Amino acid sequence: MVLTWRAVALTALGVVPVLLTGSTGTVLLWAVVVAALVALDAGLAASPREVSVERTVPRAVRLTEQTRSTLLLRNESRRRFVGLVRDAWQPSAGAVSNRHVLDLPRGEQRRVVTTLVPTRRGDRRADKVTLRSLGPLGIAGRQASVVVPGVLRVLPEFASRRHLPSRLARLRELDGQAAVQIRGEGTEFDSLREYVIGDDVRSIDWRASARGQEMVVRTWRPERDRRVLIVLDTARTSAARIGDQPRLDASIEAGLLLGALASRAGDRVEMVAYDRQLRARVAGAAGPRLLPALADSMAPLEPSLVETDWPGLVGLVRERLSQKSLVVLLSTLEPAAIETGLLPVVEQLTAHHTVVLASVADPAVAALRAGRSTAAEVFDAAAAERTELERAAATMVLGRRGVDVVSALPDELAPRLADTYLSLKAAGRL
């Protein structure tokens, strides 16, 4: 049994005047009357347990986008259901106006809709549906909560997709309009054309030139169908807050943009998420199926508070790749983690593959480096400067081991990584 504000008002309406007169007997009589009315009203209310509830919710939605949870309620009792329905969700599901007034005659059904605007990616689950049936007087009623399962997968926002058209334009130029003149490991013969001043002499085709009247050069175009493996580090360093989101979220954005671009370039893209065990893997998807598969696999990933097993990761890469490929490590440039984890095994990767390490830079460090107003800010600036020097040293060491390092702020990492991919493609290093 539940009471409404009307029951409280009714009690106060009779008790307050009686208290002013000081008659306790009258107070008790009025309390008995109110209790009888409450019991009668609750008894006449429809049973909420005789209302069947079915839920319909979309399978997935992108972060910050709006979707709906629909409840189908059918009154199977012998009385008219008049009351409230609450459709409860996890707070991060962003349920808006999830309390609904319901007037449902016996034998009929209604749909109520709750708007969801998720604030976090991952699987957001529905809680119980609570039904409160009120009696004819509206002063009391009956309440029950029923479990109606529902799961909404919130995909990554993929805000970096706004950079995709400009990178695709550069890819088309690279692929069709401006073939490279110096052959690299990832290029194939395209055509011959007349030599012009400034062309590299290594591209001259002497046999073809001898057969004609003009000096001609060979041009090459980047090969298609190369292998690109995106490795998402989900260990403890990915849990660090960069701005208002974990480092892992910025890495996911960069991985999605790179995957979309490489797929359009005709390369075979795979993704693995790893810390001390395999958390997710996408393999065999291509074309329009790749991006949904990547987003769906990355959506439920959460950082694990463990150290990355780099030897295990190298073994996983060897298992997945049997030919020279591009391996992109979406990890951290934290000097301590690099020195004790990646450096001892990185040459096992660079000996067979082109390796890129993409790391998110913390904008708070740049802000600390600029402070000079007080003594405390000077000390903070010195610490931030030291951190940047250590990151630069780690970048230099990795460069000597054959690793291309991309470090950028969260909003800039995805386009910077895409530009690095295009540069490697243009240089024939894939």
Side-chain angles (χ1 to χ4, degrees):
M1 180 188 297
V2 293
L3 301 179
T4 68
W5 63 269
R6 289 187 178 90
V8 178
L10 183 62
T11 302
L13 182 64
V15 171
V16 172
V18 173
L19 289 177
L20 294 177
T21 63
S23 176
T24 57
T26 308
V27 171
L28 293 176
L29 178 60
W30 182 255
V32 171
V33 171
V34 171
L37 291 175
V38 166
L40 177 63
D41 204 35
L44 294 176
S47 173
R49 297 191 179 279
E50 295 183 5
V51 176
S52 64
V53 186
E54 298 177 10
R55 182 189 301 279
T56 303
V57 63
R59 180 187 174 278
V61 65
R62 288 201 179 276
L63 183 64
T64 71
E65 291 184 356
Q66 180 176 297
T67 189
R68 303 191 305 173
S69 168
T70 303
L71 297 178
L72 176 63
L73 302 109
R74 183 179 296 105
N75 186 359
E76 299 174 352
S77 70
R78 294 175 298 172
R79 297 174 181 172
R80 187 185 194 94
F81 182 98
V82 178
L84 300 173
V85 177
R86 178 176 181 264
D87 183 10
W89 284 78
Q90 287 180 271
S92 55
V96 179
S97 301
N98 63 340
R99 289 172 171 81
H100 309 277
V101 177
L102 182 65
D103 185 351
L104 185 59
R106 56 178 295 187
E108 295 189 10
Q109 62 183 27
R110 295 282 188 277
R111 283 184 172 85
V112 296
V113 177
T114 300
T115 301
L116 303 176
V117 186
T119 57
R120 287 184 58 189
R121 60 174 177 79
D123 290 338
R124 307 275 74 88
R125 301 184 183 278
D127 204 345
K128 296 178 180 179
V129 174
T130 300
L131 300 102
R132 177 179 294 180
S133 174
L134 301 179
L137 300 178
I139 60 175
R142 303 159 72 181
Q143 180 171 302
S145 295
V146 294
V147 177
V148 186
V151 179
L152 174 67
R153 173 153 293 188
V154 183
L155 304 176
E157 183 181 3
F158 194 22
S160 58
R161 65 181 178 271
R162 66 181 183 275
H163 301 289
L164 188 57
S166 61
R167 271 62 187 181
L168 288 176
R170 291 175 56 185
L171 179 64
R172 286 191 294 270
E173 178 183 355
L174 174 66
D175 194 35
Q177 299 179 8
V180 296
Q181 297 176 14
I182 302 176
R183 184 178 185 180
E185 298 173 350
T187 55
E188 58 185 7
F189 178 74
D190 179 50
S191 61
L192 297 172
R193 65 169 175 79
E194 183 179 346
Y195 174 86
V196 296
I197 297 176
D199 286 342
D200 194 290
V201 295
R202 291 175 293 178
S203 63
I204 297 176
D205 189 322
W206 296 105
R207 290 186 179 181
S209 300
R211 291 194 297 267
Q213 301 294 324
E214 303 290 342
M215 191 76 71
V216 294
V217 296
R218 294 185 295 268
T219 60
W220 310 84
R221 70 171 60 236
E223 288 186 16
R224 305 177 73 86
D225 199 32
R226 308 297 286 183
R227 297 287 294 275
V228 177
L229 178 62
I230 302 171
V231 180
L232 197 62
D233 183 1
T234 57
R236 65 164 185 86
T237 55
S238 66
R241 304 291 296 186
I242 306 296
D244 59 351
Q245 63 181 3
R247 175 182 278 122
L248 180 60
D249 286 33
S251 297
I252 287 175
E253 283 285 327
L256 288 173
L257 181 61
L258 176 62
L261 181 61
S263 177
R264 296 289 188 89
D267 292 335
R268 288 177 290 167
V269 179
E270 293 188 27
M271 184 279 295
V272 294
Y274 190 88
D275 39 68
R276 300 197 73 83
Q277 62 181 353
L278 185 64
R279 301 293 179 179
R281 181 171 68 186
V282 174
R289 296 186 294 112
L290 176 64
L291 198 56
L294 288 176
D296 189 65
S297 296
M298 292 178 175
L301 291 176
E302 296 293 343
S304 300
L305 300 183
V306 297
E307 296 292 339
T308 305
D309 178 15
W310 287 104
L313 179 56
V314 171
L316 178 63
V317 173
R318 286 179 171 177
E319 177 186 331
R320 299 302 307 167
L321 303 176
S322 59
Q323 64 186 54
K324 184 177 179 62
S325 308
L326 172 63
V327 179
V328 179
L329 304 175
L330 291 164
S331 185
T332 179
L333 198 56
E334 183 179 305
I338 293 294
E339 183 177 352
T340 60
L342 179 58
L343 277 182
V345 298
V346 70
E347 291 182 346
Q348 300 177 38
L349 292 176
T350 56
H352 305 285
H353 308 290
T354 301
V355 181
V356 175
L357 173 67
S359 175
V360 184
D362 192 346
V365 175
L368 289 175
R369 292 174 63 191
R372 297 292 190 276
S373 301
T374 64
E377 289 185 356
V378 171
F379 280 110
D380 289 341
E385 194 68 40
R386 181 181 179 85
T387 299
E388 286 302 305
L389 289 175
E390 291 175 348
R391 287 171 60 89
T395 300
M396 186 179 301
V397 172
L398 288 172
R400 290 172 182 170
R401 305 289 178 91
V403 179
D404 292 290
V405 177
V406 179
S407 179
L409 298 177
D411 292 340
E412 301 172 2
L413 181 64
R416 287 278 301 277
L417 180 57
D419 291 340
T420 300
Y421 168 79
L422 292 172
S423 298
L424 294 173
K425 200 82 169 171
R429 292 180 57 191
L430 301 185

